Amino acid sequence: MRPTTSQPAGGISQAARSQAAGTRASGSRARGHRARGHRARGHRARRSRALAVAYLLAAATAAALVIDAVVHFQDAYFYDANTGALLSQGQLFRIQAGVALVAALGVLAFPKRWPVWLFAALVAGSAAAAVIAYTYIDIGALAGLPNMYEPSWGPPGKLASAIAEIAGALFALAGLAWALAMRRREASPARSTRAAQHDIT
């Protein structure tokens, strides 16, 4: 008669428990991978939407600055005769036009960088403030600049340029707020990672 061997019931139960634990661990890892994948896709989608907003703001700001530049280039020769100790008004118009074009190219080329938005806001905002001030206030000659008082919105392109400058300043400020928000958002995970590494060490 052949002897038979029997496996203890405790051993079978232990093996079953180990197998079940391994299955649960594998399932947990799979769910973790899927969750990380969903989070990564969500992050990419949010980043794409944020970049779309940035490029729209950049295009709007650049368009306003280009209008400002074109008007100043076209009207500059009207004001060449109005001279000051340092510059004529026509020269100031040409400088403003060139700076506006530089600011427009800056926001189009580097929409993620907040300094270009700040520069564009300063260019457009200062031009808008100057045209409004010299239309309503007789400031007179100032610091070697000519007296540019002109109490009328009649000259060609003056009103359109002022509207473009105000709009450009507002768009640039919105872009600046966006760039600073994105900068803080990108810095937060880096700080969290450094803090976690510090806790581990």
Side-chain angles (χ1 to χ4, degrees):
M1 185 173 179
R2 181 180 299 173
T4 58
T5 59
S6 61
Q7 187 174 0
I12 296 174
S13 300
Q14 184 177 0
R17 284 195 298 271
S18 299
Q19 184 176 1
T23 302
R24 285 195 298 271
S26 299
S28 298
R29 285 194 295 270
R31 286 192 296 272
H33 289 313
R34 285 196 296 270
R36 284 193 292 272
H38 289 315
R39 285 196 296 270
R41 285 192 293 271
H43 176 72
R44 286 193 295 269
R46 288 191 298 272
R47 187 175 180 84
S48 297
R49 288 193 296 269
L51 286 176
V53 170
Y55 283 115
L56 285 174
L57 287 172
T61 304
L65 288 167
V66 168
I67 292 172
D68 176 47
V70 169
V71 171
H72 278 82
F73 268 133
Q74 289 179 342
D75 290 356
Y77 74 95
F78 287 121
Y79 300 94
D80 281 333
N82 187 20
T83 60
L86 294 177
L87 295 169
S88 71
Q89 189 172 348
Q91 290 171 322
L92 285 173
F93 273 36
R94 293 182 183 94
I95 292 171
Q96 166 63 25
V99 172
L101 288 178
V102 170
L105 292 174
V107 296
L108 289 174
F110 307 104
K112 300 178 185 178
R113 299 184 181 179
W114 67 266
V116 299
W117 290 108
L118 178 60
F119 179 64
L122 290 174
V123 170
S126 62
V131 71
I132 293 171
Y134 279 109
T135 298
Y136 296 105
I137 304 171
D138 187 359
I139 298 174
L142 183 67
L145 303 179
N147 183 1
M148 295 183 288
Y149 177 58
E150 187 180 51
S152 170
W153 292 101
K158 182 178 179 179
L159 181 59
S161 175
I163 293 172
E165 288 160 359
I166 294 171
L170 293 176
F171 286 134
L173 288 174
L176 176 62
W178 174 89
L180 291 175
M182 290 298 295
R183 188 168 179 260
R184 287 193 298 268
R185 188 177 301 174
E186 291 176 355
S188 295
R191 285 196 297 266
S192 299
T193 302
R194 287 195 298 268
Q197 291 174 348
H198 178 72
D199 292 339
I200 292 173
T201 57

